[in-house]
Amino acid sequence: MFILAPPFVSEYLKETVAKNDIPVLKTPYTQSLGLNNSVKFITEEEAIQSLSEKENPAVYSNSENAIEWISRRLPDTKLNDQLNLFKDKIRFRELLEALHPNFYFKGIPFDELDTIDTPSIQKPFIIKPAVGFFSLGVYKVFHDSEWENIKKQIQLEVQKIKRVYPTKVLDTSMFIIEQNIEGDEYAFDAYFNDKGEAVILSLLKHLYAHDGDVSDRVYISSKKIFENNQQSFEEYLQKIGDLAGLKNFPLHVEVRVDDMGMIKPIEVNPMRFGGWCTTADMTSMAFGSNPYLAFHNQLKPDWEKILRDKDGLIYSNIVLTNASGYDVHNIKSFDYSKLKSRFRKVLELRQANYRDYLMFGFIFAETLEKNAAELDWILKDDLREFITI
């Protein structure tokens, strides 16, 4: 069953559920989406009964907002417990202590940020909401002298993001401090089949503008990235699945790989792929492999065959974060056409209500490796030239 929820359902996902007889939870929101009449809707009562009867039900959602529905309707189920296990970064770190026994982390209530003794913590360290989404509320602390300013930024940002996302998606009442994880960062969509076997459905490298950058601006995928990482990531993910007892379970994973090739997890986001239908849709456009359908039909993509003719190409998921410094309420317009013209080949441009969601949208692009400068530019640009205030 698919649970389609706000803030965004792509046309590609709508077409996938309509053409492939994928059951969709019937809600006022799904009825407002203009879905094809052939879509198989399941009432809430039918869904609750079906999901309650199965130990490992296969449920996918495009949005973390659906976690709130599971929490309210199915509070005593194994599924709800597994969702909470991964959404709560403190519980997640506790789960992985068997794999990473020396990893430092500590939970701290938001109201107790003033009590943090930063000199006693090895730096740099990361502080972020224990239940989070995107890179909202995430900060890297390099020096004790930075803490007072960062603490004030956290407190200001919390007031903004509390109005945007429900608590089950982004809970700012509890934060986690954890040691900085060195190495290249990657994000991938995956699922565990009905036998509990891990299957990777997309794979992207997260680019950063500088060492202190924690934003989500640019993710890239390519044949080289798959060939260098797919097998090792699948093997590592299998260890997590075995610890948590996962079956019929989709997820979006973020990890870092250090210079020694050691994989260290950042977070696991349950029941969904990349937010806002980004990573799954981009993978479909770039490589012709549909992650939604792969999960629904328990398929394992043949990546060797899929990537055969992809030499020299880079595919990117670009998050148009507001790095301008302008308050969104002072922004009159954003010139999407001008921005689109700066790329060799845009696969899709998606606009977002930047006043509500604190970003301008997304771009999926295809870039030649020899023209990678366009990605370096957008990674570092503040986007001011496209904004009218």
Side-chain angles (χ1 to χ4, degrees), residues 325-344:
Y326 299 139
D327 185 288
V328 292
H329 298 289
N330 295 328
I331 296 176
K332 181 180 180 181
S333 63
F334 188 91
D335 193 336
Y336 291 97
S337 296
K338 182 179 179 181
L339 177 64
K340 186 176 179 179
S341 70
R342 298 289 294 269
F343 294 89
R344 169 189 164 270

Side-chain angles (χ1 to χ4, degrees), residues 319-370:
V319 187
L320 300 174
T321 50
N322 181 16
S324 67
Y326 299 139
D327 185 288
V328 292
H329 298 289
N330 295 328
I331 296 176
K332 181 180 180 181
S333 63
F334 188 91
D335 193 336
Y336 291 97
S337 296
K338 182 179 179 181
L339 177 64
K340 186 176 179 179
S341 70
R342 298 289 294 269
F343 294 89
R344 169 189 164 270
K345 184 177 181 180
V346 172
L347 303 177
E348 184 169 313
L349 186 151
R350 293 178 178 171
Q351 300 182 23
N353 186 328
Y354 49 84
R355 291 188 178 87
D356 287 342
Y357 296 109
L358 312 180
M359 63 177 175
F360 300 104
F362 303 88
I363 286 178
F364 304 151
E366 179 188 272
T367 301
L368 299 176
E369 285 184 356
K370 63 182 180 181

Side-chain angles (χ1 to χ4, degrees), residues 189-204:
D189 299 324
Y191 79 98
F192 290 88
N193 63 22
D194 56 8
K195 297 178 182 178
E197 299 167 338
V199 179
I200 286 184
L201 302 174
S202 74
L203 209 171
L204 303 94

Side-chain angles (χ1 to χ4, degrees), residues 43 81 103 248 313 316 321:
T43 66
D81 185 62
F103 187 85
N248 292 327
L313 295 174
S316 57
T321 50

Side-chain angles (χ1 to χ4, degrees), residues 47-88:
I48 292 168
Q49 182 177 351
S50 175
L51 297 177
S52 298
E53 293 172 348
K54 298 174 182 177
E55 183 179 7
N56 297 292
V59 185
Y60 173 81
S61 180
N62 63 298
S63 168
E64 294 207 355
N65 289 326
I67 293 176
E68 191 170 26
W69 185 88
I70 298 289
S71 178
R72 285 188 290 108
R73 302 297 189 183
L74 300 158
D76 300 320
T77 60
K78 178 181 176 182
L79 174 62
N80 185 52
D81 185 62
Q82 289 176 330
L83 295 179
N84 290 329
L85 170 63
F86 290 111
K87 278 306 298 174
D88 186 334

